[in-house]
Amino acid sequence: MAERIDGRVRADQVLAEVQTGAMAFREATGRPPGLAIVLVGDHPASLSYIRSKEQAATKGGLYSETHRLPATMAEDALRRFVGRLSEDERLDGILVQLPLPETLRQEEVLAALPPDKDVDGFTTLNQGRLLAGEAGLRPCTPLGVIDLLRWHGVSLDGANVVVIGRSRTVGRPLALMLLEQHASVTVLHSHSQSLAQDVLRADVVIAAAGQAGIVRREMVRPGAVVIDVGINRVDGKLVGDVAADVADVASAMTPVPGGVGPMTVAMLMANTLEAARWHY
Ligand code: NDP
């Protein structure tokens, strides 16, 4: 039976480290690191995500403020709003919760964020920095995945890692970050022809497709480590991308919920602290 890689336990450790760093920052500067959360509309999943981000900010000793804006807000007005927030010196990080309502273009809104406050790491400049191997704010979910693997003692150097998913926010940046760790990376997506065979070769499987059960037991090499990023609602229940019985063959596996999710939130707080340190 696979060992459980408990994201809640690790996230609490990360938040405790953030809290220590935030205290030191406050002593040095007279203010805590600050995070603004911007939610446009009232998407139920987004509401629950921002609540966990607010709670994590409190745990990590950060100042946070949440701005709830109407779904009808015009793109220009939202860009100006984000621009005003970015001038506030108490705020080191600004998070615009995605997805935005369909009337708003994500790229245009993100472009209003200054890269040094882009704690989600989604702006073009921060993504370019990742590609170039330069320092910058990295996306939180990939950071959380890499941290969990390191925490569990998984050596990535030379390991065969399969990432299912190539989105701009998860799969693609994760693949680049795995390369930084010297893993041999295969990225699979909806056009991939040999998903089952490719997954079977992997020492580490990371599923980020948003397809419940896409990773099945017979696809996983005995002893492989499996990280489940997926969040899917099936019959009112939250499940990942990995079938439950994969735990019979994997050596270690993250649960859903309680795996990558809490790590994403914890890494957002770590990024906010990092951004705050850059601002001084
Ligand atoms: P996207 O929908 O943006 O991307 C999904 C990716 O998976 C795409 O690259 C897509 O391929 C690929 N894909 C979809 N179906 C298949 C398939 N049948 N076979 C192979 N590849 C497939 O999703 P995100 O990257 O934003 O998120 C992925 C999952 O992770 C979702 O369930 C999301 O809820 C979850 N998530 C979890 C987080 C957490 O904190 N735990 C944070 C962020 C996301 P193609 O590019 O060809 O379309």
Side-chain angles (χ1 to χ4, degrees):
M1 192 72 175
E3 240 181 286
R4 179 188 170 93
I5 306 179
D6 195 325
R8 288 202 179 107
V9 171
R10 177 58 189 149
D12 276 346
Q13 291 177 0
V14 171
L15 288 176
E17 287 161 21
V18 169
Q19 194 193 34
T20 306
M23 237 151 63
F25 180 85
R26 189 181 195 145
E27 272 163 27
T29 67
R31 68 163 184 91
L35 171 68
I37 300 169
V38 178
L39 174 67
V40 188
D42 51 8
H43 194 275
S46 294
L47 280 169
S48 126
Y49 292 143
I50 67 161
R51 264 194 300 274
S52 34
K53 287 169 187 174
E54 287 164 346
Q55 283 162 4
T58 306
K59 254 191 187 173
L62 310 184
Y63 163 72
S64 81
E65 56 185 46
T66 300
H67 300 271
R68 289 189 57 182
L69 305 172
T72 50
M73 191 155 191
E75 193 174 280
D76 265 3
L78 179 58
R79 282 175 52 89
R80 280 198 301 276
F81 185 84
V82 169
R84 276 199 303 280
L85 281 183
S86 58
E87 282 162 20
D88 187 334
E89 292 189 350
R90 293 169 310 160
L91 298 174
D92 301 289
I94 300 168
L95 162 93
V96 178
Q97 184 66 46
L98 302 179
L100 290 168
E102 274 172 15
T103 47
L104 301 170
R105 290 169 300 173
Q106 186 175 307
E107 286 318 303
E108 296 303 314
V109 174
L110 290 181
L113 281 176
D116 63 320
K117 296 196 175 187
D118 163 33
V119 279
D120 250 346
F122 290 165
T123 58
T124 304
L125 188 71
N126 278 324
Q127 297 222 315
R129 284 171 172 158
L130 170 59
L131 181 69
E134 291 172 11
L137 290 162
R138 307 287 200 236
C140 302
T141 301
L143 274 178
V145 170
I146 301 271
D147 183 278
L148 274 182
L149 288 167
R150 189 179 301 136
W151 180 59
H152 195 73
V154 178
S155 167
L156 290 170
D157 196 325
N160 286 320
V161 181
V162 161
V163 178
I164 311 176
R166 58 171 168 178
S167 72
R168 196 180 151 171
T169 50
V170 186
R172 206 172 288 214
L174 178 57
L176 291 169
M177 286 161 68
L178 289 162
L179 286 174
E180 281 183 339
Q181 302 297 317
H182 310 295
S184 298
V185 186
T186 304
V187 182
L188 305 176
H189 45 80
S190 68
H191 294 238
S192 297
Q193 299 287 322
S194 53
L195 188 123
Q197 294 95 304
D198 289 333
V199 171
L200 199 52
R201 284 191 299 110
D203 304 310
V204 178
V205 181
I206 305 173
Q211 301 287 327
I214 193 175
V215 177
R216 298 189 310 274
R217 185 182 196 270
E218 66 274 17
M219 291 161 61
V220 175
R221 192 175 60 70
V225 173
V226 179
I227 304 289
D228 193 350
V229 181
I231 302 176
N232 310 289
R233 199 167 279 280
V234 176
D235 300 331
K237 221 181 123 205
L238 224 54
V239 298
D241 285 357
V242 178
D245 60 2
V246 168
D248 297 343
V249 288
S251 64
M253 190 165 142
T254 55
V256 177
V260 176
M263 289 304 293
T264 298
V265 177
M267 288 304 167
L268 176 69
M269 305 310 146
N271 268 357
T272 305
L273 174 62
E274 191 179 339
R277 287 174 174 152
W278 288 345
H279 292 141
Y280 279 88

